[in-house]
Amino acid sequence: MDKFVIEGGVPLHGTISTNGSKNSALPALAAALLTDEEVVLNRIPRVRDIRTMERLLVDIGSDIAIDERDPERVVLNTKTIVSPEAPYELVKTMRASSLVLGPLVARAGRARVSLPGGCAIGARPINFHLAGLEHLGARIAQEHGYIEAVAPDGLKGARVVFDRITVTGTEDILMAAVLADGETVLENAAREPEVVDLAHLLRKMGARIEGEGTSVIRVQGVSKLHGATHEIIADRIEAGTFVIAAAITGGDLCVTNCVPEHLGALTAKLAEGGVTVTQVDETTLRVERANAGSIQKSMRAVDMKTEEYPGFATDLQAQYMALMTQADGISIVTETIFENRFMHAQELMRMGANIRLDGRQAIIAGRSRLTGAGVIASDLRASASLVLAALVAKGETVIDRVYHIDRGYEKIEAKLSGAGARIKRVE
Ligand code: EPZ
């Protein structure tokens, strides 16, 4: 198993470029199941979760070609659905496998998907996906840890009101609704940029969708979708991680190829804390907390609460907590999306952070002097927060189980070392 060895203390400088969004690419790949024609996706990040989804699609019956000269270009052809199933072995490593549920029922009239079970950040059931499909006329049964959804006569448009905002739930039901008979209205839908990106792809494939990016999405079902070419949006969580990396190390960094608008909640918090964030052009943010003379520009502690988009992303909460250990004063971080997403706090404390956990809140007293230690990555974003803490810790930090970070960050060590960080991967 790979580890990262990080020697802290170097402010990041220069530029770091952003990849395509993992959480946009996953539903886009699943959407290719909706047609028997060719779907070409550009800017697919080469991270582990994407390889898992590609493996799943090949098992289902897709032909997948990854361009040798440009591995971020993926060409998918699904002439027939050979096996409409997502097995436990894949679902347990990546919950987003349940994104094939909607497309399979819509195209093949049948899907068998393993129930995901618990994961590091909470229970994370898929009951809203199932309720949505039931509203569209699918029959759902559960046996041997699998969900079977069938709609032999096709799905029928309906009004679906989500009990709670769910990102992949909205995506799953949206993909089912595009081939349903008649109109579907999704209410309390997720407004995340990844949902909007999926709607754009589906529209290129011939779907009739209105209202993406708002909480009411209207779909007029069509009988068939066709092939399309689409470029995935920038990964706002990857970009946000680099923005925080610049702030925590007291650097001066340009994060390029991102969508600054998608990072509004984060950049507002940083500005409130005294970090200078400027939009250089349409796709570049510059983050400065560099030394002014011999005095490091200080940063103030700022409370933060995670929320659905356009609120502060839960996927940046762990990284923000690492940052708050280096801000002056006390901050309260409240996690409202997942019930158990503070696993990184214990590891940050092992590095010297002063954090108290109280239910869904973490109270962080800064600034702490962090020192390098052996720490363990517990999930994708928790790992990112440990990398950030290590970048400012005194001495060497060894992060174990970095396969978690490889699920969602492509060559993070190369990107960070390009900006001056002392980070290497060891076996
Ligand atoms: C997506 O997960 C992302 N994954 C997550 O990113 C992200 O943390 C999350 O949205 C929230 O923004 C992908 O896009 C592939 P939800 P998702 O359904 O869709 C509860 C990362 O690090 N819920 O919006 O699975 C759920 O337990 C990952 O890249 C139900 O109770 O999240 C949670 O408390 C991690 N029943 C809340 O709703 C359901 O049927 C929101 O979850 C569905 C969700």
Side-chain angles (χ1 to χ4, degrees):
M1 255 189 277
D2 290 1
K3 296 179 182 178
F4 279 155
V5 178
I6 300 171
E7 184 74 39
V10 185
L12 297 192
H13 282 97
T15 58
I16 297 190
S17 165
T18 315
N19 275 95
S21 159
K22 165 185 82 86
N23 287 348
S24 218
L26 289 169
L29 288 163
L33 292 174
L34 288 163
T35 175
D36 58 6
E37 295 183 17
E38 184 170 279
V39 173
V40 181
L41 298 174
N42 290 308
R43 211 176 175 192
I44 296 284
R46 298 316 305 167
V47 296
R48 203 158 58 95
D49 274 7
I50 296 296
R51 287 195 289 276
T52 306
M53 181 59 96
E54 288 168 349
R55 248 176 69 203
L56 173 59
L57 296 183
V58 168
D59 285 354
I60 289 172
S62 305
D63 248 354
I64 298 187
I66 297 163
D67 195 320
E68 264 174 33
R69 279 161 306 167
D70 175 8
E72 295 186 353
R73 183 178 169 85
V74 178
V75 181
L76 301 105
N77 270 292
T78 314
K79 292 277 173 252
T80 46
I81 303 286
V82 178
S83 159
E85 178 164 326
Y88 181 58
E89 293 67 48
L90 292 182
V91 179
K92 77 172 185 224
T93 61
M94 189 188 65
R95 299 177 36 84
S97 310
S98 51
L99 278 168
V100 299
L101 192 56
L104 284 177
V105 182
R107 166 109 183 258
R110 200 164 84 79
R112 189 166 179 268
V113 172
S114 169
L115 277 168
C119 77
I121 61 178
R124 302 183 75 195
I126 55 164
N127 52 319
F128 303 148
H129 302 227
L130 302 179
L133 283 176
E134 264 180 335
H135 275 101
L136 297 185
R139 274 185 285 118
I140 311 278
Q142 184 188 331
E143 221 172 34
H144 309 302
Y146 277 77
I147 291 293
E148 289 241 15
V150 290
D153 303 323
L155 296 168
K156 305 245 172 325
R159 177 170 172 242
V160 177
V161 184
F162 290 102
D163 283 353
R164 170 176 186 172
I165 296 175
T166 159
V167 179
T168 52
T170 302
E171 293 164 349
D172 219 356
I173 304 309
L174 178 61
M175 289 189 277
V178 291
L179 285 181
D181 184 22
E183 183 182 72
T184 298
V185 182
L186 305 181
E187 293 180 27
N188 200 25
R191 293 178 288 164
E192 267 65 5
E194 295 77 20
V195 175
V196 175
D197 198 31
L198 173 65
H200 288 170
L201 164 63
L202 292 171
R203 202 177 284 132
K204 286 180 193 166
M205 293 168 71
R208 292 173 58 203
I209 301 170
E210 275 172 29
E212 72 275 12
T214 75
S215 50
V216 181
I217 304 178
R218 277 176 197 279
V219 183
Q220 307 295 331
V222 295
S223 57
K224 206 171 163 10
L225 293 184
H226 51 72
T229 297
H230 182 68
E231 180 171 302
I232 300 298
I233 54 167
D235 195 315
R236 62 194 168 102
I237 307 303
E238 189 202 23
T241 303
F242 297 136
V243 164
I244 296 177
I248 199 170
T249 59
D252 181 353
L253 187 74
C254 282
V255 179
T256 59
N257 297 313
C258 66
V259 182
E261 187 194 324
H262 293 169
L263 289 157
L266 170 66
T267 53
K269 288 287 167 196
L270 294 188
E272 211 180 318
V275 178
T276 310
V277 185
T278 32
Q279 184 171 337
V280 176
D281 59 38
E282 260 180 31
T283 56
T284 307
L285 279 176
R286 180 175 177 187
V287 188
E288 294 167 86
R289 195 175 71 81
N291 274 334
S294 58
I295 309 157
Q296 182 108 53
K297 240 171 95 184
S298 70
M299 189 179 24
R300 288 180 300 281
V302 179
D303 293 348
M304 181 278 279
K305 183 165 86 173
T306 62
E307 278 168 349
E308 291 89 0
Y309 189 83
F312 196 103
T314 172
D315 289 345
L316 285 170
Q317 177 260 106
Q319 301 89 316
Y320 187 82
M321 191 185 293
L323 177 66
M324 284 303 103
T325 70
Q326 299 307 297
D328 293 327
I330 291 180
S331 54
I332 300 177
V333 166
T334 309
E335 173 58 58
T336 73
I337 308 292
F338 292 110
E339 72 269 27
N340 185 25
R341 210 178 192 181
F342 283 149
M343 307 275 277
H344 43 282
Q346 295 293 343
E347 301 299 299
L348 291 173
M349 285 186 243
R350 298 195 58 248
M351 297 176 72
N354 185 347
I355 303 171
R356 191 162 60 80
L357 296 182
D358 183 6
R360 289 190 169 218
Q361 292 196 320
I363 299 110
I364 304 130
R367 142 197 317 216
S368 300
R369 184 172 159 274
L370 300 183
T371 54
V375 288
I376 294 182
S378 56
D379 77 63
L380 169 56
R381 309 303 172 187
S383 324
S385 88
L386 297 179
V387 169
L388 295 174
L391 292 177
V392 280
K394 189 171 165 46
E396 188 179 275
T397 298
V398 179
I399 305 180
D400 204 350
R401 301 198 192 160
V402 297
Y403 58 84
H404 283 295
I405 213 163
D406 294 332
R407 288 185 51 193
Y409 292 87
E410 188 180 341
K411 299 197 183 102
I412 190 170
E413 70 277 26
K415 288 193 181 191
L416 290 172
S417 53
R422 288 175 295 200
I423 169 169
K424 59 177 193 276
R425 183 185 286 260
V426 294
E427 298 228 336

